[in-house]
Amino acid sequence: MLTADSAAATRTPTQLETPAYAATSATVPLAPFTINRREPGAHDVLIEILYCGVCHSDIHQARGEWGQSTFPMVPGHEIIGKVARVGSEVRKWKAGDTVGVGCFVDSCRQCEPCRAGEEQYCDNTPSFTYNGYERDGKTVTQGGYSSQITVDENYVLRIPDGIPLAGAAPLLCAGITMYSPLRHFGVKPGDAVAVLGLGGLGHMGVKLAKAMGMHVTVLSHSPNKREDALRLGADDFIATKDDGIFKKHANRFDFILDSVSAPHDFNNYLGLLRRDRTMVLVGIPDPSPVNAFSLVGRRRSLAGSCIGGIRETQEMLDFCAQHNVASDVEVIAIQQINEAYERTVKSDVRYRFVIDMATLR
Ligand code: NAP
Ligand code: ZN
Ligand code: ZN
């Protein structure tokens, strides 16, 4: 643990000492740590963090599974909090507002994707909430497993009244990651949608697709999730370990949202798509080969999708408030974070861990 003394030695007068949990390397558990947040500048908002969701991407990055991790790393990009203070030029937010921060805290604001409101695809790399860099290209960003965060006012989301706050946290990543492709690829009410993998992303996919009026089937490698899938709103459930399912359900779906975090054979699932339909990867497992025959025979598409921009994330939050959609969460203390990682990797989470950040103070 970095001591208060050593943190003070590196702190400038414009920084705020902030308790956090960090991974100091890819092979050690997360542990208490102290970081410095900047004092809010003219366009910044200082947010007291109340809840932070635990995304599988936190685990991939804290364990160096994407090969580009910077340590020490404070993960967390499903942040809900209250505005503590705002900079002199901020007009959108005031102290006491309930707000959210998702997977990025800034972007170049000039490239074509940024101007189109798709900041997550910024040509100059978004400033990811952690394991990234601020716009200066050298200040390492640190995430939501911490008591406060300073963010530019334009990268803050409004949490509508009525959504339970712990259940709102996962919307900032899991929710928007499933909402955006359902909108972008033009999936229509009544379409047969398959959600592959019933975890944090998957359970949000079920709820959102149902709220949009689609016919939803969960495909899961955990046969014991059938009841949950139906309770969450799915119309059907297929256990992918059962014999003959790929033949039985061939050419059945209009759209597949694949949220599986571990390597699996994409070709099997592509075979479940109808002609001219699309399977979208949102899960980010290790690579796995795609056979051209899986695509060419029925002019199928395999695509990918990454979270969503600020405007669409706000739209998704408002949609959730309107349709009573929130995540099913298990609220944990920050001290349980390493156990929560183990359980997530074993697909043993119902359906998102969310840290009560009061346990850090
Ligand atoms: P999660 O809660 O751990 O869910 C992943 C699900 O994948 C599990 O619940 C499980 O569902 C299935 N699964 C796990 N191991 C499996 C295996 N060995 N074989 C088959 N299925 C397996 O993770 P998450 O937070 O939802 O994230 C899922 C993936 O999406 C991660 O790779 C994450 O990094 C990525 N992600 C991407 C974006 C994006 O913008 N594209 C955003 C957030 C996260 P069943 O038990 O039902 O089979
Ligand atoms: Zn995430
Ligand atoms: Zn940009």
Side-chain angles (χ1 to χ4, degrees), residues 230-305:
L230 300 180
R231 177 181 55 77
L232 290 163
D235 301 286
D236 199 359
F237 179 91
I238 297 171
T240 54
K241 284 181 176 163
D242 284 357
D243 287 342
I245 67 123
F246 294 107
K247 207 165 168 193
K248 183 172 170 200
H249 299 284
N251 310 317
R252 171 173 163 181
F253 295 106
D254 294 302
F255 192 66
I256 300 178
L257 261 178
D258 180 349
S259 76
V260 172
S261 53
H264 54 292
D265 188 344
F266 299 139
N267 302 291
N268 284 337
Y269 299 97
L270 284 166
L272 304 183
L273 280 178
R274 297 175 62 199
R275 175 174 59 84
D276 283 339
R277 303 304 201 269
T278 303
M279 169 161 136
V280 174
L281 304 181
V282 288
I284 311 180
D286 286 341
S288 139
V290 175
N291 184 336
F293 281 116
S294 307
L295 300 171
V296 299
R298 284 191 164 71
R299 202 163 48 192
R300 298 177 176 119
S301 302
L302 179 62
S305 184

Side-chain angles (χ1 to χ4, degrees), residues 50-126:
L50 301 176
Y51 294 102
C52 185
V54 178
C55 178
H56 207 118
S57 302
D58 299 350
I59 305 174
H60 287 310
Q61 292 176 89
R63 295 184 173 178
E65 290 169 1
W66 290 345
Q68 47 174 29
S69 290
T70 305
F71 296 100
M73 179 196 299
V74 177
H77 57 205
E78 293 182 340
I79 299 169
I80 295 283
K82 286 235 180 276
V83 174
R85 289 191 271 126
V86 301
S88 57
E89 300 294 323
V90 173
R91 299 289 172 266
K92 276 194 201 165
W93 311 105
K94 58 178 190 328
D97 286 349
T98 305
V99 293
V101 178
C103 299
F104 53 91
V105 288
D106 213 334
S107 65
C108 87
R109 309 178 192 207
Q110 279 150 19
C111 69
E112 189 275 326
C114 279
R115 281 187 281 115
E118 305 257 39
E119 303 91 346
Q120 74 278 27
Y121 301 118
C122 174
D123 288 338
N124 297 301
T125 311

Side-chain angles (χ1 to χ4, degrees), residues 129-171:
T129 303
Y130 66 88
N131 197 27
Y133 294 94
E134 298 286 359
R135 296 326 293 165
D136 64 6
K138 51 181 196 238
T139 308
V140 173
T141 53
Q142 300 290 6
Y145 300 181
S146 58
S147 63
Q148 58 187 359
I149 187 168
T150 309
V151 182
D152 183 281
E153 58 176 331
N154 295 307
Y155 293 78
V156 173
L157 286 310
R158 184 173 304 281
I159 304 304
D161 291 341
I163 307 185
L165 292 189
L171 303 179

